[in-house]
């Protein structure tokens, strides 16, 4: 029964990518957060995805605990800000 079709109730790409949180979009890229089950404890992955990528690329991995959640939040926001800066430099608006 692996080919079960599930309904999409307004979550779109986030559901397909397994994103738990979206930090934001810039320059056609989406910075998000996924929770992954791992043998030694769940992990939080900060990811960057684009329409052309079949799987989001992880840019940071931390343990899924209170400290890890705070760290993942800081990392996700920093990655998004770095991408905004790069896009601003590319456009000459910075």
């Amino acid at each position: 029964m692996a080919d079960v079709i599930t309904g999409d109730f307004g979550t779109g790409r986030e559901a397909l990518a397994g994103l738990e949180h979206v930090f934001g979009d810039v320059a056609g890229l989406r910075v998000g957060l996924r929770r992954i089950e791992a043998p030694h404890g769940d992990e939080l992955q900060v990811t960057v995805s684009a329409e052309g990528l079949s799987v989001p690329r992880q840019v940071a991995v931390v343990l899924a605990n209170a400290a890890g959640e705070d760290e993942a939040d800081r990392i996700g926001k920093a990655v998004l800000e770095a991408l905004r800066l790069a896009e601003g430099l590319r456009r000459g608006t910075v």
Side-chain angles (χ1 to χ4, degrees):
M1 295 300 297
D3 296 325
V4 174
I5 298 173
T6 57
D8 178 6
F9 300 103
T11 55
R13 275 179 61 195
E14 291 84 7
L16 293 175
L19 294 179
E20 184 172 291
H21 177 73
V22 174
F23 293 101
D25 298 299
V26 63
L29 301 171
R30 174 164 288 167
V31 179
L33 181 69
R34 296 192 310 171
R35 184 177 299 267
I36 303 296
E37 292 182 21
H40 300 291
D42 289 359
E43 299 175 346
L44 296 172
Q45 295 180 348
V46 177
T47 63
V48 176
S49 61
E51 284 293 329
L53 295 175
S54 60
V55 176
R57 302 291 173 106
Q58 66 185 28
V59 295
V61 179
V62 296
L63 291 175
N65 56 27
E69 289 177 6
D70 290 342
E71 187 174 356
D73 187 57
R74 284 191 300 273
I75 293 168
K77 289 175 181 174
V79 169
L80 183 63
E81 188 59 31
L83 290 172
R84 285 184 180 146
L85 176 62
E87 179 65 6
L89 290 170
R90 186 185 71 79
R91 292 179 181 222
T93 59
V94 175

